[in-house]
Amino acid sequence: MWLGGDSGNFSSVGGILHGVSVDGIKLSVDQRDAQEFIGMAGACINKYALPGITFGGTGFVQYAQFGNVFTKQWSMELSIRTNLPAGILAFATHQLGFYSYALSISEGQVFFTLVRMGNADSHSAAVQVDDGVWHFIRISRDDTQLTLVVDGYTSTMTLGRFGDVPTNSGLYLGGVPSSFTLTAPGVSQLLPFRGSMRSIAVNDEAVDLEQYGDVQGTVSLAGVPLRNVKPVYKTIEG
C-alpha cells in the first residue's frame, strides 16, 4: 500500500497523514520499507513526526488530569520504543492502595495488571517489544471484557462483573514514586522504563505531554528535559 502517491503511475498529493490504520492496525512510519519513499517523503516524515517523551530509566512523569477512574468503558493507547525487557509504561492507583492498574513490560512482553481490593488479574500479549523499534499498544475495557492489542496481535480476557475502579493518583508514565508498591505477575516490581513513548491517549483523548504535574529523574520531551513542578494530586469524592 502506498501513501501520498505511488511509484509514478498516478499523481501524488500534498499534505499530512496521521493516525492511519487498516483493519484496526495502526501503521508506523518506522515499519515502512526504507527503499519505498522518494522525493520529500523522508523529510516530511521527520518534520511532522509527533514529539515523543524519553525516559532515562530513573524516574517518571505524572499527568494529574488522567488515570483517575477505570470505568466500564475505558481505553488507553500509546506507541513505545525500548531495547530493555522490563519496565513500567503506565500506572494509576488509589491513595490507599486498594485499587490500581499497571501497563508494563516483563521479559520483553506487554502486560496489563488490574488490582481490586488486593486481588490481581494480569493479562499479556505474546509479542516481543524489546527490539529497539516502535510498537503500538492499545488496552481497552468493555464492561467485563479486557482487550490488549500489540502491533495488531489481539488478546482478550474476561473479568468478573464489577463497576468503576476508583484511582485518584493521576496517570504515571515511565515509573512511579518509590513509596508505591505492587506485587503481581508482569509488573517487574515497578521498575522504571527506559526508552521512548509517543501518541499517548486515554479514552481517545490525547495526553498533552507538556501539561505534566510532577516529574522525577531523567525525562525529556522532544529532546528538552522536563523540570519538576509542584505536583497536582486529584482526589475523587465518594
Side-chain angles (χ1 to χ4, degrees):
M1 182 176 68
W2 295 85
L3 296 178
D6 72 349
S7 58
N9 296 324
F10 298 95
S11 299
S12 59
V13 297
I16 301 171
L17 297 176
H18 168 59
V20 182
S21 63
V22 178
D23 291 335
I25 303 175
K26 282 198 172 184
L27 304 185
S28 167
V29 296
D30 295 282
Q31 295 172 337
R32 69 189 186 278
D33 187 335
Q35 303 301 317
E36 295 295 325
F37 63 87
I38 59 176
M40 292 299 293
C44 289
I45 286 172
N46 291 331
K47 181 176 180 181
Y48 296 110
L50 294 173
I53 189 165
T54 301
F55 299 85
T58 61
F60 62 83
V61 62
Q62 180 224 33
Y63 293 90
Q65 65 271 41
F66 292 96
N68 289 312
V69 182
F70 184 72
T71 58
K72 289 185 177 182
Q73 303 294 323
W74 179 91
S75 67
M76 180 179 181
E77 64 180 53
L78 71 163
S79 293
I80 66 160
R81 181 172 62 185
T82 185
N83 55 14
L84 294 183
I88 286 291
L89 301 174
F91 183 87
T93 188
H94 186 272
Q95 64 182 13
L96 298 179
F98 296 141
Y99 306 95
S100 60
Y101 64 80
L103 184 66
S104 62
I105 301 173
S106 180
E107 298 182 353
Q109 297 185 1
V110 177
F111 282 75
F112 182 79
T113 301
L114 175 64
V115 176
R116 293 169 289 160
M117 297 301 294
N119 298 312
D121 292 305
S122 192
H123 190 47
S124 65
V127 179
Q128 294 296 126
V129 297
D130 56 343
D131 53 6
V133 302
W134 286 101
H135 295 275
F136 172 73
I137 302 168
R138 179 178 174 86
I139 180 73
S140 60
R141 177 192 175 191
D142 184 2
D143 198 1
T144 62
Q145 180 114 330
L146 193 68
T147 302
L148 177 61
V149 179
V150 180
D151 293 338
Y153 177 87
T154 301
S155 180
T156 61
M157 180 174 68
T158 300
L159 303 171
R161 188 171 299 279
F162 62 97
D164 295 348
V165 176
T167 54
N168 55 7
S169 65
L171 178 66
Y172 285 88
L173 297 179
V176 298
S178 59
S179 60
F180 288 4
T181 59
L182 177 61
T183 302
V187 179
S188 295
Q189 300 169 335
L190 299 178
L191 294 174
F193 172 72
R194 190 171 75 187
S196 299
M197 301 182 192
R198 68 184 183 194
S199 304
I200 306 163
V202 177
N203 295 329
D204 296 321
E205 179 182 353
V207 176
D208 185 345
L209 297 176
E210 295 183 348
Q211 301 301 314
Y212 60 93
D214 188 18
V215 60
Q216 291 185 16
T218 304
V219 183
S220 61
L221 177 59
V224 179
L226 300 184
R227 305 300 181 187
N228 205 323
V229 297
K230 184 178 180 180
V232 179
Y233 195 88
K234 296 178 69 175
T235 300
I236 295 179
E237 298 180 356

